[in-house]
Amino acid sequence: MRFSYAEAMTQAHYYAPLAQAAEAAGYTSMTVADSLIYPKDSDSKYPYTDTGDREFLDGKEFIETMILCAHLFAVTSTLRLTPFVLKLPVRPPVLVAKQASSLAFLSGNRLGLGVGISPWPEDFANLGVDWAKRGKRMDECMDILRGLTTGEFFSYSGEFYEVDELKQCPGATERIPLLVGGHADAALRRAVRKGDGWMHAGGDGEELDRLLTRLAEIRAEEGDTRGPDEFEIHVISYDAYTLDGVKRLEDKGVTDCIVGFRVPYIKGPDTEPLDTKIKHLEQYAESIIAKA
């Protein structure tokens, strides 16, 4: 079992010392959140909270995800970074491929690229991308990332994108894992067909079990026989906070536990001191990671 430290919507200058502390404590990776805009007026609902409110995002310091990854890679040496998740189809895929290859190359292949479809129509509207057929657009973006990040000549002709035969150097020296986020059946199938793993966004244990069961069914339907080294399953679960629970998750095929130590969905600034955050992540590492 691997362990990812999650902290989001806190003070931006905390991320570097938190990444360094997580690396020193023995975490495999750290998640990096993605948020592009906060519209003043919106009827959109957030899909991963009970109320659907999104006001907790107002005023939070979000450094652009790929830029923050570059910063954190520069101050660490072994820690993996996992965008959780990059809103892929609102971005130009050729540019994302260049960013991902560059990050992987400079970091020694420490990027696990979590990708997903933004739940906000406003993201699409303000970035000049059509909301319709966003799933198909997502599939094409993943195809382009997969082809261009090799550093070899690649061309593409799809419904939404045309890429001339070209290469981007340097390419990643190892395959960049594409980890698909989302709970819809289409997202689970996309993770199997086009990705190297799936990222769970939270919820109760019963719902997680349903999603893991459905993911296994889809893998069987698709003839996917990849092992845990080739297909990653990242989950958020209360089971991750006990040794017996970690074993239960491992028995269910989970490869990576995502753990955090506060509820980030709060209005207003995060007032928890940096020292407290570091103490929490270190205590977990001592009681769980070191023994698991």
Short mmCIF file of all heavy atoms in Angstrom, two decimals, residues 258-281:
data_model
loop_
_atom_site.label_atom_id
_atom_site.label_comp_id
_atom_site.label_asym_id
_atom_site.label_seq_id
_atom_site.Cartn_x
_atom_site.Cartn_y
_atom_site.Cartn_z
N ILE A 258 -5.44 7.94 0.03
CA ILE A 258 -5.32 9.40 0.10
C ILE A 258 -5.81 9.84 1.47
O ILE A 258 -6.97 9.58 1.83
CB ILE A 258 -6.16 10.07 -1.00
CG1 ILE A 258 -5.73 9.59 -2.39
CG2 ILE A 258 -6.06 11.59 -0.90
CD1 ILE A 258 -6.66 10.03 -3.52
N VAL A 259 -4.96 10.47 2.25
CA VAL A 259 -5.32 10.85 3.61
C VAL A 259 -5.09 12.34 3.84
O VAL A 259 -4.12 12.92 3.38
CB VAL A 259 -4.53 10.03 4.66
CG1 VAL A 259 -4.92 8.56 4.58
CG2 VAL A 259 -3.03 10.19 4.50
N GLY A 260 -6.02 12.93 4.58
CA GLY A 260 -5.91 14.31 5.01
C GLY A 260 -6.37 14.39 6.45
O GLY A 260 -6.96 13.43 6.98
N PHE A 261 -6.14 15.52 7.08
CA PHE A 261 -6.35 15.60 8.52
C PHE A 261 -7.22 16.79 8.94
O PHE A 261 -7.20 17.19 10.09
CB PHE A 261 -5.00 15.60 9.23
CG PHE A 261 -4.14 14.45 8.78
CD1 PHE A 261 -3.07 14.66 7.91
CD2 PHE A 261 -4.45 13.16 9.16
CE1 PHE A 261 -2.31 13.59 7.46
CE2 PHE A 261 -3.68 12.09 8.72
CZ PHE A 261 -2.61 12.30 7.87
N ARG A 262 -7.96 17.31 7.98
CA ARG A 262 -8.98 18.32 8.29
C ARG A 262 -9.99 18.32 7.15
O ARG A 262 -9.72 17.82 6.05
CB ARG A 262 -8.37 19.72 8.43
CG ARG A 262 -7.89 20.33 7.13
CD ARG A 262 -7.34 21.73 7.31
NE ARG A 262 -6.97 22.29 6.01
CZ ARG A 262 -7.77 23.04 5.25
NH1 ARG A 262 -9.00 23.34 5.67
NH2 ARG A 262 -7.37 23.49 4.08
N VAL A 263 -11.17 18.88 7.41
CA VAL A 263 -12.19 19.03 6.37
C VAL A 263 -11.91 20.33 5.63
O VAL A 263 -11.97 21.41 6.24
CB VAL A 263 -13.60 19.05 6.98
CG1 VAL A 263 -14.64 19.28 5.89
CG2 VAL A 263 -13.89 17.75 7.71
N PRO A 264 -11.57 20.27 4.34
CA PRO A 264 -11.21 21.49 3.62
C PRO A 264 -12.40 22.31 3.13
O PRO A 264 -12.23 23.45 2.74
CB PRO A 264 -10.40 20.97 2.43
CG PRO A 264 -10.97 19.62 2.17
CD PRO A 264 -11.39 19.06 3.50
N TYR A 265 -13.62 21.71 3.18
CA TYR A 265 -14.79 22.38 2.61
C TYR A 265 -15.40 23.36 3.60
O TYR A 265 -16.53 23.21 4.04
CB TYR A 265 -15.82 21.35 2.17
CG TYR A 265 -15.28 20.33 1.19
CD1 TYR A 265 -15.28 18.97 1.51
CD2 TYR A 265 -14.77 20.71 -0.05
CE1 TYR A 265 -14.79 18.02 0.62
CE2 TYR A 265 -14.27 19.79 -0.94
CZ TYR A 265 -14.29 18.44 -0.60
OH TYR A 265 -13.79 17.52 -1.48
N ILE A 266 -14.63 24.36 3.98
CA ILE A 266 -15.09 25.37 4.93
C ILE A 266 -15.02 26.75 4.29
O ILE A 266 -14.13 27.03 3.49
CB ILE A 266 -14.24 25.35 6.22
CG1 ILE A 266 -12.76 25.59 5.89
CG2 ILE A 266 -14.41 24.05 6.98
CD1 ILE A 266 -11.88 25.81 7.10
N LYS A 267 -15.97 27.60 4.64
CA LYS A 267 -15.94 28.97 4.15
C LYS A 267 -14.89 29.76 4.93
O LYS A 267 -14.66 29.52 6.11
CB LYS A 267 -17.31 29.62 4.31
CG LYS A 267 -18.40 28.98 3.46
CD LYS A 267 -19.74 29.68 3.67
CE LYS A 267 -20.84 29.01 2.87
NZ LYS A 267 -22.16 29.66 3.07
N GLY A 268 -14.25 30.69 4.23
CA GLY A 268 -13.25 31.49 4.88
C GLY A 268 -11.89 30.84 4.87
O GLY A 268 -11.72 29.70 4.42
N PRO A 269 -10.88 31.54 5.39
CA PRO A 269 -9.51 31.03 5.33
C PRO A 269 -9.27 29.86 6.27
O PRO A 269 -9.97 29.67 7.28
CB PRO A 269 -8.68 32.25 5.78
CG PRO A 269 -9.61 33.06 6.63
CD PRO A 269 -10.97 32.88 6.02
N ASP A 270 -8.29 29.04 5.90
CA ASP A 270 -7.83 27.95 6.75
C ASP A 270 -6.97 28.56 7.85
O ASP A 270 -5.93 29.16 7.58
CB ASP A 270 -7.03 26.95 5.92
CG ASP A 270 -6.37 25.87 6.76
OD1 ASP A 270 -6.82 25.64 7.89
OD2 ASP A 270 -5.39 25.28 6.28
N THR A 271 -7.39 28.39 9.10
CA THR A 271 -6.66 29.00 10.21
C THR A 271 -5.76 28.00 10.95
O THR A 271 -5.11 28.37 11.93
CB THR A 271 -7.65 29.61 11.22
OG1 THR A 271 -8.53 28.59 11.71
CG2 THR A 271 -8.48 30.71 10.56
N GLU A 272 -5.71 26.77 10.48
CA GLU A 272 -4.86 25.77 11.14
C GLU A 272 -3.39 26.11 10.90
O GLU A 272 -2.96 26.27 9.76
CB GLU A 272 -5.16 24.38 10.61
CG GLU A 272 -4.39 23.28 11.32
CD GLU A 272 -4.76 21.90 10.81
OE1 GLU A 272 -4.54 21.63 9.61
OE2 GLU A 272 -5.28 21.10 11.60
N PRO A 273 -2.57 26.21 11.94
CA PRO A 273 -1.16 26.57 11.76
C PRO A 273 -0.38 25.49 11.00
O PRO A 273 -0.72 24.30 11.04
CB PRO A 273 -0.63 26.69 13.19
CG PRO A 273 -1.84 26.89 14.05
CD PRO A 273 -2.94 26.11 13.37
N LEU A 274 0.67 25.92 10.33
CA LEU A 274 1.52 24.99 9.58
C LEU A 274 2.10 23.92 10.50
O LEU A 274 2.14 22.74 10.14
CB LEU A 274 2.64 25.77 8.88
CG LEU A 274 3.69 24.93 8.14
CD1 LEU A 274 3.05 24.13 7.02
CD2 LEU A 274 4.79 25.85 7.59
N ASP A 275 2.55 24.30 11.68
CA ASP A 275 3.14 23.32 12.60
C ASP A 275 2.15 22.23 12.96
O ASP A 275 2.54 21.06 13.12
CB ASP A 275 3.63 24.02 13.87
CG ASP A 275 4.88 24.86 13.64
OD1 ASP A 275 5.50 24.71 12.56
OD2 ASP A 275 5.24 25.65 14.53
N THR A 276 0.88 22.58 13.10
CA THR A 276 -0.14 21.59 13.42
C THR A 276 -0.34 20.63 12.27
O THR A 276 -0.49 19.41 12.46
CB THR A 276 -1.46 22.29 13.77
OG1 THR A 276 -1.25 23.18 14.87
CG2 THR A 276 -2.55 21.27 14.13
N LYS A 277 -0.35 21.15 11.06
CA LYS A 277 -0.49 20.29 9.89
C LYS A 277 0.65 19.29 9.81
O LYS A 277 0.44 18.09 9.54
CB LYS A 277 -0.53 21.15 8.62
CG LYS A 277 -1.75 22.05 8.49
CD LYS A 277 -1.71 22.84 7.19
CE LYS A 277 -2.85 23.83 7.10
NZ LYS A 277 -4.17 23.18 7.11
N ILE A 278 1.86 19.75 10.01
CA ILE A 278 3.02 18.87 9.95
C ILE A 278 2.96 17.83 11.06
O ILE A 278 3.25 16.63 10.84
CB ILE A 278 4.32 19.69 10.01
CG1 ILE A 278 4.47 20.53 8.73
CG2 ILE A 278 5.53 18.77 10.21
CD1 ILE A 278 5.66 21.45 8.73
N LYS A 279 2.53 18.23 12.25
CA LYS A 279 2.40 17.29 13.37
C LYS A 279 1.40 16.18 13.02
O LYS A 279 1.67 15.00 13.27
CB LYS A 279 1.93 18.04 14.62
CG LYS A 279 1.72 17.15 15.83
CD LYS A 279 1.23 17.95 17.02
CE LYS A 279 0.94 17.06 18.22
NZ LYS A 279 0.41 17.84 19.37
N HIS A 280 0.27 16.54 12.40
CA HIS A 280 -0.73 15.55 12.05
C HIS A 280 -0.20 14.54 11.02
O HIS A 280 -0.40 13.33 11.16
CB HIS A 280 -1.98 16.24 11.50
CG HIS A 280 -2.78 16.93 12.55
ND1 HIS A 280 -3.70 17.94 12.26
CD2 HIS A 280 -2.82 16.79 13.90
CE1 HIS A 280 -4.25 18.36 13.37
NE2 HIS A 280 -3.72 17.70 14.38
N LEU A 281 0.47 15.05 9.99
CA LEU A 281 0.95 14.12 8.95
C LEU A 281 2.06 13.23 9.50
O LEU A 281 2.17 12.05 9.11
CB LEU A 281 1.36 14.88 7.69
CG LEU A 281 2.65 15.70 7.64
CD1 LEU A 281 3.86 14.86 7.31
CD2 LEU A 281 2.51 16.81 6.60
#
